[in-house]
Amino acid sequence: MSIPFLSLALDGPQLVELLADDAAIRRWDELPSAFSVLGVERVDGSGAREATVDASVAAAILAGRTTRARFLVAASPTRDHPYNLARRIASLGHLSRGRSGVIFGDHDPYAPAGDPWTTTDVGFTRGEQIADALRAVRALEQSWPYESVVGDLETGIFVQSNLIRHVDHDGLHRTAGPLTVPEPPTGASVTAWLATDRVPAIPGDETDLVIGAGGAVRIVDADAAEAWSGEASDGGGLLLRGRPGSTLAELLDAAESLAGRTRPVGDGPLRQVLDLSVPSRPAVGRAAFPQPQPHAVL
């Protein structure tokens, strides 16, 4: 048994506040938290807020304005195709130097109704749709291995392009070909799932981290932070979430009040801080390119 780590859930208005306030960014960056969920209302089923900002755009800005903070970007396969999600997630992994990841969950209240990217409109649950998108995203992010970028001046080979693989995913979502962004140097981005009564997590190794019902990270209301007893858990964590309408300052106050009663975390990439193993590279398809040949020596 061990004391849980601390993490935060920021909704749209709190994220807008954070982006507009350098002092708040510094305060957030200095918190001894494992990570923050950006745009939590997009995955927790609580509904739209009066203000919001795309979580991946916010993460790209915050990656350059922080040195310690780690974050999970709320994403929805009903809004973005897995290929677009994989490209954003891999790019954020480079920008943040491994401090980022992605979280899936309930229907994004800002997304149009329906599922425009799936190949069928019957016979699958929301959870199955998320799991299928997650498999596609992970395989795409790993389709261009970072170690293939060699920059060999002697041979003139910049990338061992024969190591780049096609990802012809043919599930509820379809993809073809490799991603156009190399895998981040720190490896595949962390993938998380926010489980709710409507969208329970699918058992197995589809994702690195489950938050909510049955997961390693449980949700605690910020209003109850002062009364939280500090009970132990099995190496998991707490996700501190404010009520709709609560301010960023209120959430940060609650986080700071809990900081001394949660497990300290160090600096570094998100996967390292959470002590998550690197996922196996999916058994994807054929090589996307032939083996590059060295330049002739004159």
Side-chain angles (χ1 to χ4, degrees):
M1 303 291 280
S2 63
I3 300 299
F5 61 72
L6 174 65
S7 58
L8 281 71
L10 278 67
D11 65 12
Q14 292 164 345
L15 200 47
V16 171
E17 283 187 76
L18 182 64
L19 291 169
D21 189 337
D22 288 341
I25 290 176
R26 288 192 297 271
R27 185 181 177 191
W28 174 66
D29 193 30
E30 292 169 0
L31 280 173
S33 60
F35 60 84
S36 294
V37 175
L38 306 184
V40 68
E41 80 276 18
R42 294 178 181 270
V43 290
D44 70 358
S46 62
R49 303 292 198 267
E50 69 276 10
T52 192
V53 62
D54 184 277
S56 63
V57 173
I61 296 169
L62 292 167
R65 297 173 67 183
T66 58
T67 58
R68 297 181 66 255
R70 291 164 290 262
F71 32 84
L72 293 170
V73 172
S76 171
T78 60
R79 183 182 182 90
D80 293 297
H81 189 275
Y83 191 93
N84 191 34
L85 286 176
R87 186 167 50 189
R88 292 187 189 188
I89 292 159
S91 297
L92 285 171
H94 286 277
L95 286 170
S96 69
R97 300 187 179 186
R99 292 185 287 130
S100 60
V102 62
I103 183 168
F104 294 90
D106 211 331
H107 180 75
D108 184 344
Y110 308 106
D115 299 310
W117 309 121
T118 53
T119 58
T120 177
D121 58 0
V122 294
F124 62 90
T125 66
R126 170 69 175 155
E128 290 168 339
Q129 180 199 25
I130 296 171
D132 183 77
L134 197 155
R135 282 191 292 269
V137 166
R138 172 160 284 175
L140 282 163
E141 191 183 24
Q142 293 184 294
S143 65
W144 183 347
Y146 179 76
E147 58 269 21
S148 70
V149 183
V150 293
D152 191 328
L153 295 178
E154 288 190 14
T155 63
I157 295 174
F158 179 64
V159 174
Q160 293 177 323
S161 50
N162 59 303
L163 299 180
I164 302 173
R165 313 298 293 184
H166 276 267
V167 176
D168 300 328
H169 183 79
D170 191 20
L172 297 176
H173 305 83
R174 290 181 178 173
T175 69
L179 200 63
T180 55
V181 180
E183 183 181 38
T186 49
S189 300
V190 171
T191 59
W193 187 310
L194 199 152
T196 65
D197 292 338
R198 291 187 354 147
V199 188
I202 290 179
D205 58 358
E206 302 287 358
T207 185
D208 292 306
L209 187 69
V210 175
I211 298 172
V217 180
R218 52 199 178 87
I219 299 171
V220 171
D221 292 333
D223 290 343
E226 286 291 344
W228 181 68
S229 63
E231 63 265 27
S233 70
D234 292 323
L238 301 176
L239 181 73
L240 190 65
R241 180 177 60 181
R243 66 186 185 284
S246 61
T247 66
L248 175 65
E250 290 171 332
L251 182 65
L252 295 180
D253 287 344
E256 288 170 351
S257 76
L258 274 179
R261 291 176 282 158
T262 52
R263 186 167 80 242
V265 294
D267 296 341
L270 180 55
R271 185 172 293 280
Q272 173 185 308
V273 165
L274 296 179
D275 196 24
L276 297 171
S277 60
V278 177
S280 300
R281 196 170 298 282
V284 293
R286 65 194 184 282
F289 305 98
Q291 185 167 348
Q293 299 300 313
H295 289 174
V297 178
L298 299 179

